Amino acid sequence: MSFTIVEPVTSRLNRSELAVPCSRVELFEKAAKGAADVIFLDLEDAVAPDDKERARKNCIQALNDVDWRGKTISLRVNGLDTHWMYRDVVDVLEGAPGKLDLIMIPKAGTAADIYAVDMLVTQIEAATKVTKRIGFEMIIETALGMQNVDAIAGASKRNESLHFGVADYAASTKAKTVNIGGPHPQYGVLTDKDADGKRDYFWGDVWHYALSRMVVAARAHGLRPIDGPFGDFSDADGFRAQANRAAVLGCEGKWAIHPSQIGLANEVFGPSAAEVANAKRILDAMLAAQREGKGAVALDGKLIDNASIKQAQVLLNMAQRLGM
Ligand code: 1VU
Ligand code: GLV
Ligand code: MG
């Protein structure tokens, strides 16, 4: 271990994070009754410019009136480059004091963006005498944000998670696609011809670098990395495949832009009974090895050592949180 200890942030279940546009009041109760770990009430891109003020009022009313059943509630405010952001923060925090758990900062570009929102929130919390401290989740979804992801991750003690906003990221990097997440048929590898002159074409993972870069920055600062939207909500298999890739890279959860994606995310990011059983076997085998004074042993013909204990513990900690 380094002498620098990375302290984990406030721990929350974040397997699924449901997006709920504040312009659609009929969705609030449905979201509250659903199984999402986190709900983010959206004032940003799912709300039309002319509807921003009405949506903000809806949001305040929903925070005060809806029974959110103990779910973690976040507010996605508008970007710092708009004229809506300051009122999103001031009006909602003053209109519904103590109701929010998190603020989601979209298109975070620099550490100073986070500093600015921190200053505003800190003043409002002091003025309203609210003792519950709001946490921040930042969406990394621009080239600038990805360039500065490490500084953004370390910019405030309120920071809890980084989210990969694949749609805006594609727009910002001028990627040649209009898909929202998932693979792309033109991002592939054509093999050389084999002995029979046959060639294969394999689809690659166009988002691998970006997601991986964000995961590293998040974990280096003790934050949760969360994968963002998968737009094709009728493609459950596609969602599951993307979520599995994110989970294996280290993400702790994924957005759901439709209720049909909540259960899929909860399933992928919570360990299965088989994964828990395997993690327990690894721990037991390592405990037995240590009793015999061994640091590395074979289990099922594969090496396990001290790092295997830590890997297994990641799964077991999540299982424990889920009461498994
Ligand atoms: O069965 P019911 O009629 O009772 O309910 C419908 C529908 O009302 C409900 N539902 C939702 N409930 C809670 N939260 C939601 N986000 C939500 N979406 C739908 O589920 C039942 C089935 O819905 P549906 O299949 O009829 O779907 P709709 O045509 O009503 O809506 C589809 C969209 C995609 C428009 C809707 O799900 C939605 O608005 N999703 C969130 C979009 C969003 O917030 N986007 C911003 C985040 S993504 C981003 O920033 C970059 C891409
Ligand atoms: C999310 O906000 C995205 O742009 O994908
Ligand atoms: Mg976005």
Side-chain angles (χ1 to χ4, degrees), residues 28 153 192 259:
F28 294 139
D192 279 349

mmCIF file of all heavy atoms in Angstrom, residues 28 153 192 259:
data_model
loop_
_atom_site.group_PDB
_atom_site.id
_atom_site.type_symbol
_atom_site.label_atom_id
_atom_site.label_comp_id
_atom_site.label_asym_id
_atom_site.label_seq_id
_atom_site.Cartn_x
_atom_site.Cartn_y
_atom_site.Cartn_z
ATOM 1 N N PHE A 28 -43.076 10.810 -10.948
ATOM 2 C CA PHE A 28 -42.455 10.859 -9.613
ATOM 3 C C PHE A 28 -42.867 9.679 -8.737
ATOM 4 O O PHE A 28 -42.031 8.983 -8.175
ATOM 5 C CB PHE A 28 -42.779 12.173 -8.903
ATOM 6 C CG PHE A 28 -42.178 13.395 -9.565
ATOM 7 C CD1 PHE A 28 -42.907 14.572 -9.692
ATOM 8 C CD2 PHE A 28 -40.880 13.382 -10.060
ATOM 9 C CE1 PHE A 28 -42.358 15.703 -10.292
ATOM 10 C CE2 PHE A 28 -40.311 14.503 -10.661
ATOM 11 C CZ PHE A 28 -41.056 15.662 -10.780
ATOM 12 N N ALA A 153 -12.325 14.897 -9.773
ATOM 13 C CA ALA A 153 -12.613 13.888 -8.743
ATOM 14 C C ALA A 153 -12.146 14.354 -7.364
ATOM 15 O O ALA A 153 -12.771 14.043 -6.342
ATOM 16 C CB ALA A 153 -11.959 12.563 -9.110
ATOM 17 N N ASP A 192 -6.766 -10.411 -40.547
ATOM 18 C CA ASP A 192 -6.120 -10.797 -41.810
ATOM 19 C C ASP A 192 -6.810 -12.052 -42.341
ATOM 20 O O ASP A 192 -7.524 -12.733 -41.602
ATOM 21 C CB ASP A 192 -4.637 -11.112 -41.567
ATOM 22 C CG ASP A 192 -3.821 -9.830 -41.502
ATOM 23 O OD1 ASP A 192 -4.373 -8.758 -41.844
ATOM 24 O OD2 ASP A 192 -2.659 -9.894 -41.080
ATOM 25 N N PRO A 259 -37.824 2.437 -16.653
ATOM 26 C CA PRO A 259 -37.962 1.475 -15.545
ATOM 27 C C PRO A 259 -37.523 0.059 -15.906
ATOM 28 O O PRO A 259 -37.077 -0.686 -15.040
ATOM 29 C CB PRO A 259 -39.460 1.505 -15.234
ATOM 30 C CG PRO A 259 -39.961 2.791 -15.779
ATOM 31 C CD PRO A 259 -39.081 3.172 -16.921
#
